[in-house]
Amino acid sequence: MKQTNLRKSDIILHTLNPYDPEMQRYLSLSKRIEQLMNNAEDENDPCVPVELMAEFFVLQEELYQKALKRNKEEAN
């Protein structure tokens, strides 16, 4: 799953405008999640609220679909 998410992130970051408000939110969420995970006491620490993760993954999927659509349009 991590490999899939990295792939999605790569496609999103290389295709979409980083100054778009949705992209700014995506990058902000990603950074916040990383900070929370880095501050965890151990790997079993429930450091990231599930709501934050859900928002991140929903936004990631929306942006991924938008990036795929843009790549398809550019290919035609």
Side-chain angles (χ1 to χ4, degrees), residues 29 33 37 48-59:
L29 286 170
I33 291 168
M37 291 176 79
V48 182
V50 69
E51 295 85 0
L52 188 64
M53 293 300 294
E55 181 181 357
F56 174 80
F57 285 118
V58 167
L59 184 56

